Amino acid sequence: MEIELYSLLSTVIVFVFLFTVIFAIYCYIAFRVRQRASLRHSSINSPAPTALALEEPKFFKPLYPKQLK
Amino acid sequence: MTRRLLQALVLFVAASVFALVSAYWYYSVGRLDAQDALIPITSKILVIFLVVLLLRYLLVAFVAVLKHVQHASEPMAPSEYLPISIIFPAYNEGPVVESAILSAMRQNYPNFEVIVVDDGSTDDTYEKATRIAANFGPNQLRVITKPNGGKASALNTGIAQARGELILCTDADSRLDENALMRAAAHFYDPYVGAVAGNVKVANRLNHLTRLQALEYLEGLNLIRSAQGYFNRVTVIPGPLGLFRKEALLEVGAYEMDTFAEDCDLSLRLLLSGWDVKYESDAIVWTEAPESLSALVLQRYRWGRGVLQAIIKNRRFLFGGCPTAGTWLMFWFFVLDGIALPAMNVISIACFLFAAAGGSMSVLIPLWWAQLTLLDVMIAMLCIAAEGEQLSLILTAVSYRLFFIPFVDVLRCLTWFDELYDVKMKWMRLERFGRI
């Protein structure tokens, strides 16, 4: 009886896991398809990168300064 | 006093449940050879992973409790009200920008300004922001517009314009609690503190998915931040609330645009430059979580790749060069927690499916799930008691371990392959519903 209960629980959990994994892979593929379509679209309409670069503030950045303490 | 008693009671009940379940589980594992039909090596992998997961959970929870106790003795308000600049980067945030700005203007802090950086929005974000700005003087609220260049670029523009000694970076889809500035600024009496991470909570708990995320923020993200905060080594300052010392920001070069997790990258650079990064659980910010699975996938894909990019970018510090041994250990913890833990979860699921495909249904499977779910419930109780959160979130812990964690971890592992194969990615923004 105890083993049957375990088997039943195991079956339910394994099926939920299986469903979740397949569903996650499906969502991932769907996302990649949307990304690809979006990238194709943006390559035509995106502004020139040099125009954006002019607007970026530049901060002085030393290469990882020495420990402060 | 009542709250303390409640916390003690929760800890006692949680520890008792854990001890009982552990005892039963070890008793069951002792019978594995006789009853379990799993392939022995699979069983061993699962047992090792489960023990590592349990130890990690308990360690994090224990240190988080220490931080909670320490928090009671920390100052509630700053000794000196340093000027603070609140920066809102906004790109097509029309539905939420007004409530976000107004929440900032209502801050219970005497010395601050707000800068809204419109990042080339194509909707009415700029018009809405300027309309609100007309009600305040330019010393209180300024609106800047620039061509679209991404969130990091907008934040850098705001930082360059900021007059404050402290800079609060937030999101236009977030609503600051009125005491957020006061609580976070209280930590800057210490000259080594470079930044303070705030406590992010989900505002739109409208469906099961957003409630699951509310639980994740509570017992996943904030619990880890709380534990890291005990050592002043928080590895991810959340985008919705990070208060920075301007000097520290400029020293590390502010936000960089080469990762998709600019907040994680900046936090790591601050830590690795020797600054302390603290956590303040009373500096609360409410944010809008993804309400659909497709939006969640978009967010997690960005997080997954962004965190990996930040780790790869700073990988040389894994093998030396960290300012302190504590920082080095915390960096390793961050790497293992962000990479090894999801990988272990996914491998465990693969082991279960492998065993099931072979026709064997192990006693280990329900025990594994029950053990981790009970642990989730226990930690959820702890966090709910500590933060005065909704008790109903405990109920979501069941599907949290059964569906949410496997879903998110499988997704995260898939994003790593894309990052390693350098698949092109575009920053796609989440749809806003104006729930804050």
Side-chain angles (χ1 to χ4, degrees), chain B residues 77-273:
Chain B
S79 51
E80 181 191 1
Y81 293 107
L82 296 171
I84 298 180
S85 300
I86 302 176
I87 299 173
F88 280 103
Y91 174 69
N92 288 353
E93 304 281 6
V96 289
V97 73
E98 285 175 312
S99 59
I101 295 172
L102 289 174
S103 78
M105 299 309 296
R106 281 195 287 264
Q107 281 300 301
N108 179 20
Y109 190 86
N111 193 6
F112 72 96
E113 64 167 358
V114 175
I115 302 171
V116 181
V117 184
D118 171 48
D119 193 27
S121 299
T122 52
D123 68 352
D124 56 351
T125 301
Y126 180 70
E127 286 73 23
K128 282 184 172 173
T130 44
R131 204 160 48 230
I132 297 176
N135 299 324
F136 301 92
N139 287 334
Q140 284 180 286
L141 174 59
R142 283 182 284 159
V143 183
I144 299 166
T145 188
K146 65 183 273 301
N148 181 250
K151 186 182 168 188
S153 146
L155 283 166
N156 283 346
T157 303
I159 292 165
Q161 297 288 327
R163 294 184 286 233
E165 284 179 49
L166 304 179
I167 292 176
L168 185 118
C169 295
T170 182
D171 291 338
D173 65 332
S174 303
R175 179 166 49 83
L176 294 166
D177 183 81
E178 60 185 20
N179 291 319
L181 274 192
M182 186 72 86
R183 295 281 188 268
H187 293 278
F188 284 88
Y189 67 89
D190 180 351
Y192 293 117
V193 172
V196 173
N199 182 351
V200 187
K201 289 177 183 285
V202 172
N204 53 333
R205 301 174 190 187
L206 305 168
N207 57 31
H208 193 64
L209 187 63
T210 51
R211 277 193 287 276
L212 281 167
Q213 290 172 82
L215 181 68
E216 185 200 21
Y217 274 66
L218 192 66
E219 72 159 72
L221 308 178
N222 288 340
L223 189 81
I224 291 177
R225 266 187 213 117
S226 192
Q228 292 175 332
Y230 184 71
F231 304 104
N232 298 339
R233 298 280 181 278
V234 178
T235 48
V236 182
I237 302 167
L241 206 166
L243 184 60
F244 300 89
R245 197 183 288 280
K246 191 175 183 182
E247 178 196 346
L249 267 182
L250 298 183
E251 186 186 291
V252 299
Y255 287 92
E256 292 184 355
M257 281 161 266
D258 50 358
T259 70
F260 281 105
E262 71 293 323
D263 41 7
C264 172
D265 173 46
L266 176 63
S267 316
L268 286 179
R269 284 186 286 120
L270 280 170
L271 277 180
L272 297 169
S273 299

Side-chain angles (χ1 to χ4, degrees), chain B residues 44 121 133 220 283 286 334 360 377 425:
Chain B
K44 280 176 188 152
S121 299
W286 297 88
F334 176 65
S360 63
V377 170
M425 180 191 164

Side-chain angles (χ1 to χ4, degrees), chain B residues 1-108:
Chain B
M1 187 63 189
T2 316
R3 190 168 155 172
R4 292 257 167 210
L5 271 174
L6 180 66
Q7 285 164 4
L9 189 69
V10 165
L11 268 177
F12 176 72
V13 172
S16 308
V17 169
F18 182 76
L20 283 172
V21 174
S22 297
Y24 182 62
W25 180 73
Y26 282 113
Y27 170 68
S28 302
V29 167
R31 298 184 303 168
L32 274 180
D33 288 344
Q35 289 188 357
D36 198 78
L38 276 176
I39 298 165
I41 194 159
T42 317
S43 302
K44 280 176 188 152
I45 290 171
L46 288 170
V47 171
I48 291 167
F49 282 3
L50 185 53
V51 170
V52 171
L53 281 173
L54 294 179
L55 287 176
R56 177 261 181 204
Y57 258 95
L58 286 177
L59 183 70
V60 169
F62 175 70
V63 181
V65 170
L66 290 182
K67 168 68 185 169
H68 188 63
V69 173
Q70 182 197 54
H71 184 252
S73 61
E74 285 177 338
M76 300 284 278
S79 51
E80 181 191 1
Y81 293 107
L82 296 171
I84 298 180
S85 300
I86 302 176
I87 299 173
F88 280 103
Y91 174 69
N92 288 353
E93 304 281 6
V96 289
V97 73
E98 285 175 312
S99 59
I101 295 172
L102 289 174
S103 78
M105 299 309 296
R106 281 195 287 264
Q107 281 300 301
N108 179 20

Side-chain angles (χ1 to χ4, degrees), chain A residues 2-3 5-43 46-48 51-69, chain B residues 24 28 31 35 146-149 153 156-157 159-160 192 233 250-254 256-257 269 272-276 293-294 297-298 301 314 316-317 323-324 349 352-353 356 361-363 365-367 369 401-403 406-407 410-411 414 418 423-426 428:
Chain A
E2 193 188 356
I3 295 299
L5 183 67
Y6 275 132
S7 298
L8 183 69
L9 273 171
S10 300
T11 311
V12 171
I13 292 168
V14 162
F15 272 101
V16 173
F17 278 161
L18 186 63
F19 167 77
T20 306
V21 170
I22 292 170
F23 189 61
I25 293 169
Y26 165 76
C27 287
Y28 163 77
I29 292 169
F31 170 78
R32 284 287 305 276
V33 170
R34 278 195 297 146
Q35 268 272 327
R36 194 173 289 182
S38 175
L39 277 168
R40 252 202 309 271
H41 178 72
S42 65
S43 62
S46 60
L52 297 178
L54 293 173
E55 300 296 325
E56 306 297 342
K58 297 282 181 272
F59 296 109
F60 170 68
K61 185 195 170 195
L63 248 183
Y64 292 99
K66 282 182 187 172
Q67 181 185 344
L68 292 170
K69 292 180 189 174
Chain B
Y24 182 62
S28 302
R31 298 184 303 168
Q35 289 188 357
K146 65 183 273 301
N148 181 250
S153 146
N156 283 346
T157 303
I159 292 165
Y192 293 117
R233 298 280 181 278
L250 298 183
E251 186 186 291
V252 299
E256 292 184 355
M257 281 161 266
R269 284 186 286 120
L272 297 169
S273 299
W275 290 96
D276 283 356
L293 271 172
S294 58
V297 171
L298 169 60
Y301 187 85
N314 295 290
R316 66 181 185 278
F317 291 97
T324 62
I349 294 168
F352 289 146
L353 297 180
M361 290 295 180
S362 167
V363 293
I365 296 173
L367 284 170
W369 177 77
R401 182 59 57 181
L402 197 58
F403 170 75
F407 182 82
V410 167
L411 207 62
L414 289 169
D418 281 6
V423 172
K424 272 191 179 176
M425 180 191 164
K426 185 190 172 191
M428 291 167 76

